[in-house]
PDB file of all heavy atoms in Angstrom:
ATOM      1  N   ALA R 137      -8.115   8.533 -11.373  1.00  0.00           N
ATOM      2  CA  ALA R 137      -7.664   8.878 -10.034  1.00  0.00           C
ATOM      3  C   ALA R 137      -7.048   7.661  -9.376  1.00  0.00           C
ATOM      4  O   ALA R 137      -7.360   6.514  -9.701  1.00  0.00           O
ATOM      5  CB  ALA R 137      -8.837   9.390  -9.198  1.00  0.00           C
ATOM      6  N   TYR R 138      -6.137   7.920  -8.414  1.00  0.00           N
ATOM      7  CA  TYR R 138      -5.414   6.848  -7.722  1.00  0.00           C
ATOM      8  C   TYR R 138      -5.285   7.218  -6.245  1.00  0.00           C
ATOM      9  O   TYR R 138      -5.211   8.386  -5.886  1.00  0.00           O
ATOM     10  CB  TYR R 138      -4.013   6.672  -8.323  1.00  0.00           C
ATOM     11  CG  TYR R 138      -4.044   6.413  -9.805  1.00  0.00           C
ATOM     12  CD1 TYR R 138      -4.037   7.460 -10.715  1.00  0.00           C
ATOM     13  CD2 TYR R 138      -4.091   5.113 -10.309  1.00  0.00           C
ATOM     14  CE1 TYR R 138      -4.082   7.242 -12.085  1.00  0.00           C
ATOM     15  CE2 TYR R 138      -4.143   4.882 -11.674  1.00  0.00           C
ATOM     16  CZ  TYR R 138      -4.136   5.942 -12.563  1.00  0.00           C
ATOM     17  OH  TYR R 138      -4.189   5.707 -13.918  1.00  0.00           O
ATOM     18  N   ILE R 139      -5.269   6.179  -5.410  1.00  0.00           N
ATOM     19  CA  ILE R 139      -5.027   6.379  -3.992  1.00  0.00           C
ATOM     20  C   ILE R 139      -3.787   5.589  -3.595  1.00  0.00           C
ATOM     21  O   ILE R 139      -3.684   4.398  -3.862  1.00  0.00           O
ATOM     22  CB  ILE R 139      -6.254   5.989  -3.138  1.00  0.00           C
ATOM     23  CG1 ILE R 139      -6.014   6.348  -1.664  1.00  0.00           C
ATOM     24  CG2 ILE R 139      -6.658   4.535  -3.317  1.00  0.00           C
ATOM     25  CD1 ILE R 139      -7.267   6.304  -0.799  1.00  0.00           C
ATOM     26  N   LEU R 140      -2.801   6.281  -3.022  1.00  0.00           N
ATOM     27  CA  LEU R 140      -1.558   5.632  -2.604  1.00  0.00           C
ATOM     28  C   LEU R 140      -1.361   5.851  -1.111  1.00  0.00           C
ATOM     29  O   LEU R 140      -1.876   6.809  -0.537  1.00  0.00           O
ATOM     30  CB  LEU R 140      -0.373   6.134  -3.416  1.00  0.00           C
ATOM     31  CG  LEU R 140       0.047   7.595  -3.354  1.00  0.00           C
ATOM     32  CD1 LEU R 140       1.500   7.734  -3.797  1.00  0.00           C
ATOM     33  CD2 LEU R 140      -0.829   8.452  -4.264  1.00  0.00           C
ATOM     34  N   TYR R 141      -0.557   4.979  -0.475  1.00  0.00           N
ATOM     35  CA  TYR R 141      -0.496   4.969   0.977  1.00  0.00           C
ATOM     36  C   TYR R 141       0.686   4.138   1.462  1.00  0.00           C
ATOM     37  O   TYR R 141       1.271   3.340   0.715  1.00  0.00           O
ATOM     38  CB  TYR R 141      -1.797   4.407   1.570  1.00  0.00           C
ATOM     39  CG  TYR R 141      -2.248   3.104   0.950  1.00  0.00           C
ATOM     40  CD1 TYR R 141      -1.962   1.885   1.547  1.00  0.00           C
ATOM     41  CD2 TYR R 141      -2.937   3.089  -0.271  1.00  0.00           C
ATOM     42  CE1 TYR R 141      -2.348   0.691   0.965  1.00  0.00           C
ATOM     43  CE2 TYR R 141      -3.331   1.906  -0.863  1.00  0.00           C
ATOM     44  CZ  TYR R 141      -3.038   0.708  -0.245  1.00  0.00           C
ATOM     45  OH  TYR R 141      -3.397  -0.470  -0.837  1.00  0.00           O
ATOM     46  N   ASN R 142       1.033   4.322   2.719  1.00  0.00           N
ATOM     47  CA  ASN R 142       2.039   3.512   3.401  1.00  0.00           C
ATOM     48  C   ASN R 142       1.390   2.206   3.837  1.00  0.00           C
ATOM     49  O   ASN R 142       0.282   2.215   4.393  1.00  0.00           O
ATOM     50  CB  ASN R 142       2.549   4.311   4.604  1.00  0.00           C
ATOM     51  CG  ASN R 142       3.264   3.471   5.652  1.00  0.00           C
ATOM     52  OD1 ASN R 142       2.703   2.538   6.204  1.00  0.00           O
ATOM     53  ND2 ASN R 142       4.488   3.849   5.963  1.00  0.00           N
ATOM     54  N   SER R 143       2.048   1.095   3.584  1.00  0.00           N
ATOM     55  CA  SER R 143       1.469  -0.201   3.940  1.00  0.00           C
ATOM     56  C   SER R 143       2.524  -1.148   4.480  1.00  0.00           C
ATOM     57  O   SER R 143       3.703  -0.790   4.635  1.00  0.00           O
ATOM     58  CB  SER R 143       0.762  -0.820   2.716  1.00  0.00           C
ATOM     59  OG  SER R 143      -0.048  -1.920   3.107  1.00  0.00           O
ATOM     60  N   ASP R 144       2.097  -2.383   4.737  1.00  0.00           N
ATOM     61  CA  ASP R 144       2.966  -3.394   5.316  1.00  0.00           C
ATOM     62  C   ASP R 144       4.089  -3.793   4.376  1.00  0.00           C
ATOM     63  O   ASP R 144       4.022  -3.567   3.152  1.00  0.00           O
ATOM     64  CB  ASP R 144       2.162  -4.642   5.677  1.00  0.00           C
ATOM     65  CG  ASP R 144       1.166  -4.402   6.780  1.00  0.00           C
ATOM     66  OD1 ASP R 144       1.507  -3.686   7.743  1.00  0.00           O
ATOM     67  OD2 ASP R 144       0.027  -4.908   6.689  1.00  0.00           O
ATOM     68  N   ALA R 145       5.098  -4.434   4.928  1.00  0.00           N
ATOM     69  CA  ALA R 145       6.157  -5.036   4.133  1.00  0.00           C
ATOM     70  C   ALA R 145       5.569  -6.136   3.253  1.00  0.00           C
ATOM     71  O   ALA R 145       4.469  -6.639   3.521  1.00  0.00           O
ATOM     72  CB  ALA R 145       7.237  -5.609   5.051  1.00  0.00           C
ATOM     73  N   PRO R 146       6.251  -6.526   2.166  1.00  0.00           N
ATOM     74  CA  PRO R 146       5.722  -7.587   1.298  1.00  0.00           C
ATOM     75  C   PRO R 146       5.389  -8.846   2.089  1.00  0.00           C
ATOM     76  O   PRO R 146       6.174  -9.290   2.942  1.00  0.00           O
ATOM     77  CB  PRO R 146       6.884  -7.836   0.329  1.00  0.00           C
ATOM     78  CG  PRO R 146       7.616  -6.528   0.282  1.00  0.00           C
ATOM     79  CD  PRO R 146       7.503  -5.975   1.665  1.00  0.00           C
ATOM     80  N   ASP R 147       4.194  -9.382   1.826  1.00  0.00           N
ATOM     81  CA  ASP R 147       3.700 -10.582   2.498  1.00  0.00           C
ATOM     82  C   ASP R 147       3.656 -10.442   4.020  1.00  0.00           C
ATOM     83  O   ASP R 147       3.647 -11.425   4.751  1.00  0.00           O
ATOM     84  CB  ASP R 147       4.560 -11.809   2.130  1.00  0.00           C
ATOM     85  CG  ASP R 147       4.555 -12.072   0.636  1.00  0.00           C
ATOM     86  OD1 ASP R 147       3.466 -11.940   0.029  1.00  0.00           O
ATOM     87  OD2 ASP R 147       5.617 -12.378   0.092  1.00  0.00           O
ATOM     88  N   ARG R 148       3.666  -9.173   4.491  1.00  0.00           N
ATOM     89  CA  ARG R 148       3.681  -8.887   5.922  1.00  0.00           C
ATOM     90  C   ARG R 148       4.853  -9.555   6.640  1.00  0.00           C
ATOM     91  O   ARG R 148       4.747  -9.994   7.795  1.00  0.00           O
ATOM     92  CB  ARG R 148       2.351  -9.293   6.573  1.00  0.00           C
ATOM     93  CG  ARG R 148       1.171  -8.493   6.038  1.00  0.00           C
ATOM     94  CD  ARG R 148      -0.075  -8.722   6.845  1.00  0.00           C
ATOM     95  NE  ARG R 148      -1.168  -7.896   6.372  1.00  0.00           N
ATOM     96  CZ  ARG R 148      -2.389  -7.871   6.921  1.00  0.00           C
ATOM     97  NH1 ARG R 148      -2.653  -8.655   7.960  1.00  0.00           N
ATOM     98  NH2 ARG R 148      -3.339  -7.081   6.442  1.00  0.00           N
ATOM     99  N   LYS R 149       5.983  -9.625   5.949  1.00  0.00           N
ATOM    100  CA  LYS R 149       7.193 -10.229   6.514  1.00  0.00           C
ATOM    101  C   LYS R 149       8.330  -9.202   6.437  1.00  0.00           C
ATOM    102  O   LYS R 149       9.152  -9.228   5.524  1.00  0.00           O
ATOM    103  CB  LYS R 149       7.571 -11.507   5.750  1.00  0.00           C
ATOM    104  CG  LYS R 149       6.523 -12.623   5.875  1.00  0.00           C
ATOM    105  CD  LYS R 149       6.931 -13.833   5.057  1.00  0.00           C
ATOM    106  CE  LYS R 149       5.883 -14.937   5.177  1.00  0.00           C
ATOM    107  NZ  LYS R 149       6.233 -16.127   4.346  1.00  0.00           N
ATOM    108  N   PRO R 150       8.361  -8.270   7.402  1.00  0.00           N
ATOM    109  CA  PRO R 150       9.394  -7.237   7.368  1.00  0.00           C
ATOM    110  C   PRO R 150      10.794  -7.824   7.534  1.00  0.00           C
ATOM    111  O   PRO R 150      11.009  -8.746   8.332  1.00  0.00           O
ATOM    112  CB  PRO R 150       9.031  -6.326   8.547  1.00  0.00           C
ATOM    113  CG  PRO R 150       8.209  -7.170   9.451  1.00  0.00           C
ATOM    114  CD  PRO R 150       7.468  -8.127   8.566  1.00  0.00           C
ATOM    115  N   LEU R 151      11.735  -7.273   6.776  1.00  0.00           N
ATOM    116  CA  LEU R 151      13.121  -7.700   6.866  1.00  0.00           C
ATOM    117  C   LEU R 151      13.826  -7.070   8.045  1.00  0.00           C
ATOM    118  O   LEU R 151      14.890  -7.544   8.461  1.00  0.00           O
ATOM    119  CB  LEU R 151      13.860  -7.338   5.568  1.00  0.00           C
ATOM    120  CG  LEU R 151      13.284  -7.939   4.275  1.00  0.00           C
ATOM    121  CD1 LEU R 151      14.071  -7.433   3.070  1.00  0.00           C
ATOM    122  CD2 LEU R 151      13.314  -9.463   4.334  1.00  0.00           C
ATOM    123  N   TYR R 152      13.251  -5.998   8.585  1.00  0.00           N
ATOM    124  CA  TYR R 152      13.837  -5.264   9.703  1.00  0.00           C
ATOM    125  C   TYR R 152      12.764  -4.341  10.259  1.00  0.00           C
ATOM    126  O   TYR R 152      11.774  -4.057   9.595  1.00  0.00           O
ATOM    127  CB  TYR R 152      15.067  -4.460   9.238  1.00  0.00           C
ATOM    128  CG  TYR R 152      14.772  -3.581   8.041  1.00  0.00           C
ATOM    129  CD1 TYR R 152      14.248  -2.299   8.196  1.00  0.00           C
ATOM    130  CD2 TYR R 152      14.991  -4.047   6.749  1.00  0.00           C
ATOM    131  CE1 TYR R 152      13.944  -1.513   7.096  1.00  0.00           C
ATOM    132  CE2 TYR R 152      14.694  -3.267   5.646  1.00  0.00           C
ATOM    133  CZ  TYR R 152      14.176  -1.999   5.830  1.00  0.00           C
ATOM    134  OH  TYR R 152      13.871  -1.213   4.748  1.00  0.00           O
ATOM    135  N   PRO R 153      12.912  -3.848  11.500  1.00  0.00           N
ATOM    136  CA  PRO R 153      11.912  -2.923  12.062  1.00  0.00           C
ATOM    137  C   PRO R 153      11.802  -1.648  11.212  1.00  0.00           C
ATOM    138  O   PRO R 153      12.809  -1.071  10.822  1.00  0.00           O
ATOM    139  CB  PRO R 153      12.470  -2.603  13.457  1.00  0.00           C
ATOM    140  CG  PRO R 153      13.354  -3.761  13.790  1.00  0.00           C
ATOM    141  CD  PRO R 153      13.950  -4.211  12.494  1.00  0.00           C
ATOM    142  N   GLY R 154      10.568  -1.231  10.934  1.00  0.00           N
ATOM    143  CA  GLY R 154      10.358  -0.032  10.117  1.00  0.00           C
ATOM    144  C   GLY R 154      10.309  -0.306   8.625  1.00  0.00           C
ATOM    145  O   GLY R 154      10.189   0.624   7.819  1.00  0.00           O
ATOM    146  N   HIS R 155      10.411  -1.585   8.216  1.00  0.00           N
ATOM    147  CA  HIS R 155      10.323  -1.956   6.800  1.00  0.00           C
ATOM    148  C   HIS R 155       8.857  -1.827   6.344  1.00  0.00           C
ATOM    149  O   HIS R 155       7.978  -2.541   6.819  1.00  0.00           O
ATOM    150  CB  HIS R 155      10.813  -3.382   6.607  1.00  0.00           C
ATOM    151  CG  HIS R 155      10.741  -3.860   5.181  1.00  0.00           C
ATOM    152  ND1 HIS R 155      10.840  -5.194   4.854  1.00  0.00           N
ATOM    153  CD2 HIS R 155      10.575  -3.200   4.005  1.00  0.00           C
ATOM    154  CE1 HIS R 155      10.746  -5.341   3.542  1.00  0.00           C
ATOM    155  NE2 HIS R 155      10.571  -4.135   3.005  1.00  0.00           N
ATOM    156  N   ARG R 156       8.604  -0.901   5.439  1.00  0.00           N
ATOM    157  CA  ARG R 156       7.252  -0.646   4.944  1.00  0.00           C
ATOM    158  C   ARG R 156       7.264  -0.549   3.417  1.00  0.00           C
ATOM    159  O   ARG R 156       8.324  -0.601   2.781  1.00  0.00           O
ATOM    160  CB  ARG R 156       6.695   0.656   5.546  1.00  0.00           C
ATOM    161  CG  ARG R 156       6.668   0.710   7.056  1.00  0.00           C
ATOM    162  CD  ARG R 156       5.564  -0.125   7.634  1.00  0.00           C
ATOM    163  NE  ARG R 156       4.257   0.500   7.417  1.00  0.00           N
ATOM    164  CZ  ARG R 156       3.093  -0.042   7.776  1.00  0.00           C
ATOM    165  NH1 ARG R 156       3.062  -1.223   8.347  1.00  0.00           N
ATOM    166  NH2 ARG R 156       1.961   0.598   7.573  1.00  0.00           N
ATOM    167  N   THR R 157       6.098  -0.376   2.837  1.00  0.00           N
ATOM    168  CA  THR R 157       5.968  -0.238   1.390  1.00  0.00           C
ATOM    169  C   THR R 157       5.023   0.924   1.070  1.00  0.00           C
ATOM    170  O   THR R 157       4.255   1.372   1.912  1.00  0.00           O
ATOM    171  CB  THR R 157       5.393  -1.513   0.748  1.00  0.00           C
ATOM    172  OG1 THR R 157       4.096  -1.780   1.305  1.00  0.00           O
ATOM    173  CG2 THR R 157       6.303  -2.705   0.958  1.00  0.00           C
ATOM    174  N   ILE R 158       5.097   1.382  -0.191  1.00  0.00           N
ATOM    175  CA  ILE R 158       4.095   2.295  -0.741  1.00  0.00           C
ATOM    176  C   ILE R 158       3.280   1.492  -1.744  1.00  0.00           C
ATOM    177  O   ILE R 158       3.836   0.858  -2.656  1.00  0.00           O
ATOM    178  CB  ILE R 158       4.730   3.516  -1.428  1.00  0.00           C
ATOM    179  CG1 ILE R 158       5.553   4.321  -0.427  1.00  0.00           C
ATOM    180  CG2 ILE R 158       3.643   4.384  -2.067  1.00  0.00           C
ATOM    181  CD1 ILE R 158       4.775   4.916   0.707  1.00  0.00           C
ATOM    182  N   ARG R 159       1.959   1.542  -1.601  1.00  0.00           N
ATOM    183  CA  ARG R 159       1.078   0.786  -2.483  1.00  0.00           C
ATOM    184  C   ARG R 159       0.001   1.712  -3.052  1.00  0.00           C
ATOM    185  O   ARG R 159      -0.237   2.798  -2.537  1.00  0.00           O
ATOM    186  CB  ARG R 159       0.431  -0.372  -1.722  1.00  0.00           C
ATOM    187  CG  ARG R 159       1.471  -1.286  -1.073  1.00  0.00           C
ATOM    188  CD  ARG R 159       0.858  -2.514  -0.482  1.00  0.00           C
ATOM    189  NE  ARG R 159       1.862  -3.334   0.183  1.00  0.00           N
ATOM    190  CZ  ARG R 159       1.751  -4.629   0.424  1.00  0.00           C
ATOM    191  NH1 ARG R 159       0.649  -5.268   0.060  1.00  0.00           N
ATOM    192  NH2 ARG R 159       2.700  -5.283   1.034  1.00  0.00           N
ATOM    193  N   MET R 160      -0.676   1.243  -4.100  1.00  0.00           N
ATOM    194  CA  MET R 160      -1.649   2.095  -4.771  1.00  0.00           C
ATOM    195  C   MET R 160      -2.769   1.274  -5.400  1.00  0.00           C
ATOM    196  O   MET R 160      -2.562   0.168  -5.876  1.00  0.00           O
ATOM    197  CB  MET R 160      -0.940   2.920  -5.863  1.00  0.00           C
ATOM    198  CG  MET R 160      -1.820   3.986  -6.512  1.00  0.00           C
ATOM    199  SD  MET R 160      -0.841   5.161  -7.484  1.00  0.00           S
ATOM    200  CE  MET R 160      -0.522   4.185  -8.969  1.00  0.00           C
ATOM    201  N   TYR R 161      -3.958   1.864  -5.377  1.00  0.00           N
ATOM    202  CA  TYR R 161      -5.130   1.382  -6.115  1.00  0.00           C
ATOM    203  C   TYR R 161      -5.554   2.477  -7.096  1.00  0.00           C
ATOM    204  O   TYR R 161      -5.338   3.673  -6.840  1.00  0.00           O
ATOM    205  CB  TYR R 161      -6.323   1.166  -5.182  1.00  0.00           C
ATOM    206  CG  TYR R 161      -6.397  -0.136  -4.428  1.00  0.00           C
ATOM    207  CD1 TYR R 161      -6.027  -0.174  -3.076  1.00  0.00           C
ATOM    208  CD2 TYR R 161      -6.887  -1.297  -5.010  1.00  0.00           C
ATOM    209  CE1 TYR R 161      -6.159  -1.339  -2.338  1.00  0.00           C
ATOM    210  CE2 TYR R 161      -7.000  -2.467  -4.291  1.00  0.00           C
ATOM    211  CZ  TYR R 161      -6.633  -2.497  -2.953  1.00  0.00           C
ATOM    212  OH  TYR R 161      -6.752  -3.665  -2.235  1.00  0.00           O
ATOM    213  N   GLU R 162      -6.213   2.082  -8.169  1.00  0.00           N
ATOM    214  CA  GLU R 162      -6.999   3.055  -8.915  1.00  0.00           C
ATOM    215  C   GLU R 162      -8.215   3.397  -8.047  1.00  0.00           C
ATOM    216  O   GLU R 162      -8.668   2.568  -7.232  1.00  0.00           O
ATOM    217  CB  GLU R 162      -7.439   2.495 -10.268  1.00  0.00           C
ATOM    218  CG  GLU R 162      -8.093   3.551 -11.156  1.00  0.00           C
ATOM    219  CD  GLU R 162      -8.470   3.035 -12.541  1.00  0.00           C
ATOM    220  OE1 GLU R 162      -7.939   1.982 -12.964  1.00  0.00           O
ATOM    221  OE2 GLU R 162      -9.310   3.702 -13.195  1.00  0.00           O
ATOM    222  N   PHE R 163      -8.737   4.621  -8.211  1.00  0.00           N
ATOM    223  CA  PHE R 163      -9.803   5.091  -7.315  1.00  0.00           C
ATOM    224  C   PHE R 163     -10.969   5.632  -8.128  1.00  0.00           C
ATOM    225  O   PHE R 163     -10.794   6.387  -9.076  1.00  0.00           O
ATOM    226  CB  PHE R 163      -9.247   6.181  -6.395  1.00  0.00           C
ATOM    227  CG  PHE R 163     -10.196   6.633  -5.331  1.00  0.00           C
ATOM    228  CD1 PHE R 163     -10.484   5.824  -4.253  1.00  0.00           C
ATOM    229  CD2 PHE R 163     -10.821   7.881  -5.421  1.00  0.00           C
ATOM    230  CE1 PHE R 163     -11.363   6.241  -3.262  1.00  0.00           C
ATOM    231  CE2 PHE R 163     -11.705   8.302  -4.438  1.00  0.00           C
ATOM    232  CZ  PHE R 163     -11.970   7.474  -3.357  1.00  0.00           C
ATOM    233  N   ASP R 164     -12.165   5.233  -7.738  1.00  0.00           N
ATOM    234  CA  ASP R 164     -13.407   5.725  -8.332  1.00  0.00           C
ATOM    235  C   ASP R 164     -13.831   6.971  -7.553  1.00  0.00           C
ATOM    236  O   ASP R 164     -14.396   6.870  -6.458  1.00  0.00           O
ATOM    237  CB  ASP R 164     -14.474   4.631  -8.261  1.00  0.00           C
ATOM    238  CG  ASP R 164     -15.799   5.060  -8.882  1.00  0.00           C
ATOM    239  OD1 ASP R 164     -15.996   6.271  -9.115  1.00  0.00           O
ATOM    240  OD2 ASP R 164     -16.654   4.182  -9.134  1.00  0.00           O
ATOM    241  N   ALA R 165     -13.530   8.153  -8.103  1.00  0.00           N
ATOM    242  CA  ALA R 165     -13.783   9.402  -7.379  1.00  0.00           C
ATOM    243  C   ALA R 165     -15.264   9.735  -7.282  1.00  0.00           C
ATOM    244  O   ALA R 165     -15.662  10.528  -6.441  1.00  0.00           O
ATOM    245  CB  ALA R 165     -13.031  10.541  -8.056  1.00  0.00           C
ATOM    246  N   LYS R 166     -16.061   9.147  -8.147  1.00  0.00           N
ATOM    247  CA  LYS R 166     -17.509   9.400  -8.103  1.00  0.00           C
ATOM    248  C   LYS R 166     -18.173   8.593  -7.010  1.00  0.00           C
ATOM    249  O   LYS R 166     -18.984   9.112  -6.229  1.00  0.00           O
ATOM    250  CB  LYS R 166     -18.148   9.075  -9.456  1.00  0.00           C
ATOM    251  CG  LYS R 166     -19.633   9.368  -9.504  1.00  0.00           C
ATOM    252  CD  LYS R 166     -20.211   9.070 -10.888  1.00  0.00           C
ATOM    253  CE  LYS R 166     -21.717   9.349 -10.932  1.00  0.00           C
ATOM    254  NZ  LYS R 166     -22.295   9.042 -12.264  1.00  0.00           N
ATOM    255  N   ASN R 167     -17.828   7.324  -6.932  1.00  0.00           N
ATOM    256  CA  ASN R 167     -18.452   6.428  -5.952  1.00  0.00           C
ATOM    257  C   ASN R 167     -17.605   6.211  -4.705  1.00  0.00           C
ATOM    258  O   ASN R 167     -17.997   5.452  -3.808  1.00  0.00           O
ATOM    259  CB  ASN R 167     -18.768   5.086  -6.613  1.00  0.00           C
ATOM    260  CG  ASN R 167     -19.795   5.229  -7.730  1.00  0.00           C
ATOM    261  OD1 ASN R 167     -20.914   5.671  -7.495  1.00  0.00           O
ATOM    262  ND2 ASN R 167     -19.400   4.874  -8.953  1.00  0.00           N
TER     263      ASN R 167
END
C-alpha cells in the first residue's frame, strides 16, 4: 500500500506561487 499527497515545492523553495509537488510513502495498512 502507498499514500500519496500534495506537498511543498522541492526544498520548500517554490519557483512561483502555486508551485507544489506530489509525494508518496509506502504505507503499513495494518499499523
